[in-house]
Each structure stands twice: as C-alpha cells, then as structure tokens.
Amino acid sequence: MQVNVITLFPDMFKALSASGITARAIAQGLLSLETVNPRDFAEDRHQSVDDRPYGGGPGMVMTVPPLSKAIGAAKSSMDLVNKAAPKVIYMSPQGKPINQKRINELAQQDSLIVLCGRYEGIDERLIDAEVDEELSLGDYVISGGELAAMVLLDAMIRQLPGALGDNESANQDSFASRPLLDCPHYSRPEKVAGHQVPGVLLSGDHEAIRRWRLKQSLLRTRERRPDLFMQLQLSHEELALLDE
Ligand code: SAH
C-alpha cells in the first residue's frame, strides 16, 4: 500500500516509522509512507501556505495553490500503473467519525493521500475540488491533522496482511467483526495484591473459557457502550449468557 501525507510537519510521522507494529510493517515494505510539504510549493519569499480569512475573524486559512500542487506532486510520486487513482482523505473534525469498519475498507486500497490541516483549516474550494472523503477522530478539535492521520494510519496498518505477528491477532480485538468490546485480560502472577485471576481462566477448559470471555464481552459492551450494544445481533447462545 502506498500512502502519501500532505503535511507542514513531516517529522511527526517518524513516530510511525520508529516504533512498534507500524515501524515493522513499514520496514517489511507492507506500506510505503511518504510525505509532501506544501511549504515546498509556496511561491512568495516568505514561503507562506496560509493567509487571512475572507470576511475577517481570527486565525489563518491554508490557501489552495500550495496544497493543490502538493497533492499533484504526491500523485505523481506514486506508482499508479494499472491502479485506481488514490483517494484523497482530509482529516477534519467535520468529517465522519472514524470507525473500524471504515478502517478495514480503507486498508484494502492500493494508495491513499491523507491531507493534514493546520490553523483554522483549509480553503473550502480545495476540499470541493480535491478531497474524496473527510474523516474525524471524534467530536473535539486538535491543533492539526497530523495526529489524526497517524491514528488513521496506525489503525489501517495493523489490518494489513502480515502486519501483526502470529501472537497478535486483530480478529480478537474490540470491534473486529461486530460492535463488541474485547474481554478483560490477565497474565502472571496468579495473585496481585490479594486479587486472584478469575478461576475459569486457570481451568484448562477451553469451552468454559470461551463462554466466559464471550459473556464478559457482552456484559461490558452493555454496561459501557449501550449505543453499541443496541446494534448487536445476538445469537441464542449470547442471549442465554446474558440471562445467566
Ligand atoms: N476550524 C476548524 C478546526 C481547525 S483545527 C473547525 O472548527 O472545524 C486544525 C486542523 O486540525 C484541521 O484542519 C484538521 O485537519 C485537524 N483536526 C482538528 N480536529 C480534528 C478531528 N477531530 N479529527 C480530525 N482532524 C482534526
């Protein structure tokens, strides 16, 4: 998968290539991660990429020409022979909230361009002309699109085939195939400050352990995320576990 990020702060993306699962996936070549800095396409001598908003008011707006050229440069740097044109995603608090379903779909793309805003955001005409989709981290505002893009990319990278080792399965995680939270996890020692591991996990009875974990998942989803619980289609077994 080829990803190109349009950002004024390319160094921030070293966080992905430096540590953990994302670093390993990039090193293995599962994903190529490039950046283009719109500042390199600014034309005045101050290399400005922002200007005051028409109509007045506080803050600055990222202007169209450097961004548009940066997107063009990103596209031409990608190997797109026999491939669909890359989707352009703008990270924005006004986009659709990111969820696992959309992440899994995006992880199937050959190529993506991710646009990071700064200041008050970007000129609406750039969004109209170039952006295919706007995605949000949630209903709060952060200072720039970079952290949001990194969240999106990390979540996507762990879905790429081969990104997780054998012992790190993604299909056991919360939201893997349905809106269900993961069960609680325990490891050694058996007793911590007087707190014992739930006995069933020590029983060696795989069926009992599976049922216990499923029940915990259902109970915590109902308790913590009633909005998700409402969307769940429950099997007969699951209804019976909840009755217990
Ligand atoms: N004035 C804008 C916020 C600008 S914040 C508004 O109120 O809608 C500056 C940049 O940070 C945005 O352009 C966007 O790229 C990024 N950003 C801020 N909050 C975000 C969120 N919740 N999700 C994704 N990106 C976000």
Side-chain angles (χ1 to χ4, degrees):
M1 180 173 199
Q2 306 175 77
V3 176
N4 203 315
V5 182
I6 313 295
T7 172
L8 292 172
F9 298 98
D11 282 352
M12 289 180 75
F13 289 84
K14 290 186 183 147
L16 287 180
S17 50
S19 315
I21 289 168
T22 52
R24 192 175 62 200
I26 293 168
Q28 285 173 348
L30 299 181
L31 169 113
S32 73
L33 179 60
E34 306 281 334
T35 54
V36 174
N37 191 338
R39 183 113 26 220
D40 296 338
F41 299 89
E43 283 183 340
D44 61 335
R45 66 191 173 87
H46 300 294
Q47 284 195 293
S48 6
V49 289
D50 58 311
D51 207 336
R52 283 170 316 201
Y54 279 120
M60 300 294 269
V61 177
M62 289 180 83
T63 58
V64 174
L67 281 174
S68 181
K69 287 178 196 150
I71 293 171
K75 284 184 179 161
S76 48
S77 76
M78 289 172 148
D79 169 19
L80 299 170
V81 183
N82 298 327
K83 295 196 178 117
K87 252 187 189 313
V88 179
I89 294 181
Y90 172 43
M91 305 314 301
S92 158
Q94 303 185 26
K96 260 198 172 170
I98 300 175
N99 63 25
Q100 191 70 51
K101 182 164 173 282
R102 193 65 194 128
I103 294 284
N104 294 0
E105 290 161 1
L106 288 172
Q108 315 274 335
Q109 302 276 321
D110 292 326
S111 59
L112 279 185
I113 291 177
V114 185
L115 187 56
C116 303
R118 281 273 156 177
Y119 315 113
E120 286 305 317
I122 68 188
D123 189 310
E124 194 67 21
R125 293 166 296 180
L126 186 280
I127 302 176
D128 293 342
E130 310 254 19
V131 169
D132 297 304
E133 184 171 350
E134 295 184 49
L135 287 178
S136 167
L137 279 189
D139 294 342
Y140 47 90
V141 171
I142 58 177
S143 322
E146 286 77 10
L147 287 172
M150 285 193 268
V151 169
L152 172 75
L153 294 176
D154 181 316
M156 256 169 41
I157 289 171
R158 53 188 285 113
Q159 298 300 324
L160 297 177
L164 298 185
D166 292 339
N167 295 324
E168 312 160 320
S169 169
N171 58 27
Q172 308 272 334
D173 286 337
S174 301
F175 319 112
S177 52
R178 48 205 291 240
L180 191 62
L181 300 181
D182 196 4
C183 63
H185 300 288
Y186 301 87
S187 185
R188 290 190 293 181
E190 260 183 57
K191 203 170 186 183
V192 176
H195 294 284
Q196 189 74 36
V197 172
V200 60
L201 297 178
L202 305 173
S203 69
D205 180 342
H206 295 300
E207 176 57 12
I209 294 170
R210 184 193 65 79
R211 284 170 51 83
W212 181 85
R213 287 183 167 154
L214 178 57
K215 187 168 166 180
Q216 296 302 315
S217 280
L218 291 164
L219 290 174
R220 35 176 67 188
T221 308
R222 184 169 68 184
E223 187 180 302
R224 299 180 184 197
R225 293 294 304 275
D227 58 317
L228 294 181
F229 188 76
M230 296 274 286
Q231 300 168 30
L232 273 176
Q233 308 269 1
L234 296 171
S235 68
H236 289 302
E237 180 191 32
E238 291 169 344
L239 289 167
L241 285 171
L242 286 166
D243 271 349
E244 283 175 20

